[in-house]
Amino acid sequence: MFLKGITDKFKQKSGRKLLKQLLVKPVSVAHESKGIRSLGCIVDLDRFEKSEVFFQFLEEFSLRPNAVKIIGYKRFYDKNSPYSTPVFSDKDLGWNGEIENSYALEFLGREYDLLVNYYNEDNLLLNLMSAKTKARIKVGFKDIGPEYNDLIMDMPLGDFQTFKKELKKYLGIFKEI
């Protein structure tokens, strides 16, 4: 038990070191064309449990049915419990900031036109996922900061309808939709 605590502490330290490196030199995105055709969502399921509402973006932005990918974060979760959304947790943090979760690796393997960072708590694993995700535009909340998000919203996490309306408004201003 003592050894596991030390191991976890070193994993956290190596994760923070990688995060600093990723913030200095962000992940590059292959395509730079305008328009939203694919959307990724990183959701803190401990604070916002209704992850299915993100599929409303399909209609809102006239996307194809498989264009929205959602991954959830739970501080603790049982791998045998059924979750409707793919989930990763703190125990999926490996050495050197690597994320050892097949759902997370699949999510990170794609490129997105828009990444929605739907969390408002500074968390190493959520920030690592955000920094490692290849996306042209990243949107999130003011509590996280500009190093992870290009567009920052100032509203409560539970007010998804306002978030969706404001996001649509700003993407229209940027001529993305």
Side-chain angles (χ1 to χ4, degrees):
M1 192 65 163
F2 174 72
L3 192 57
K4 182 172 175 18
I6 292 174
T7 303
D8 288 346
K9 192 170 280 257
F10 280 120
K11 285 182 180 180
Q12 292 278 330
K13 185 176 180 181
S14 67
R16 283 191 295 275
K17 183 178 176 184
L18 176 69
L19 187 58
K20 284 181 184 176
Q21 292 171 355
L22 287 171
L23 292 177
V24 171
K25 185 178 180 234
V27 178
S28 62
V29 181
H31 65 281
E32 289 289 329
S33 62
K34 287 241 181 220
I36 304 298
R37 288 175 301 287
S38 61
L39 187 140
C41 301
I42 301 172
V43 184
D44 185 350
L45 295 176
D46 289 331
R47 299 190 181 283
F48 188 80
E49 295 179 3
K50 300 175 281 196
S51 62
E52 65 278 351
V53 298
F54 292 97
F55 288 109
Q56 293 177 17
F57 287 130
L58 289 171
E59 287 180 23
E60 205 69 34
F61 302 142
S62 304
L63 300 172
R64 289 176 284 119
N66 63 347
V68 175
K69 298 294 178 201
I70 303 168
I71 189 158
Y73 165 82
K74 287 187 94 41
R75 203 170 297 286
F76 303 102
Y77 80 101
D78 179 12
K79 290 188 182 206
N80 297 324
S81 295
Y83 292 103
S84 61
T85 303
V87 176
F88 68 99
S89 75
D90 288 336
K91 58 185 172 181
D92 294 322
L93 180 63
W95 291 104
N96 297 322
E98 293 301 316
I99 298 173
E100 299 170 346
N101 178 298
S102 60
Y103 296 125
L105 293 174
E106 180 185 340
F107 185 87
L108 292 172
R110 298 173 184 258
E111 286 190 12
Y112 303 96
D113 292 314
L114 177 66
L115 176 68
V116 175
N117 292 317
Y118 209 79
Y119 61 93
N120 61 0
E121 182 181 278
D122 195 23
N123 177 295
L124 176 62
L125 225 60
L126 288 167
N127 291 341
L128 269 172
M129 281 292 289
S130 176
K132 286 183 167 192
T133 303
K134 295 178 226 109
R136 251 184 340 105
I137 302 170
K138 296 182 180 184
V139 179
F141 290 90
K142 72 173 176 108
D143 300 325
I144 302 306
E147 54 272 4
Y148 303 103
N149 300 308
D150 302 316
L151 177 61
I152 299 172
M153 304 285 199
D154 183 12
M155 62 194 60
L157 192 66
D159 192 1
F160 179 76
Q161 294 306 319
T162 305
F163 179 85
K164 182 175 74 168
K165 186 177 107 187
E166 290 294 310
L167 180 58
K168 185 174 183 176
K169 178 176 91 174
Y170 285 109
L171 290 176
I173 291 170
F174 297 149
K175 297 187 179 3
E176 291 288 341
I177 55 172

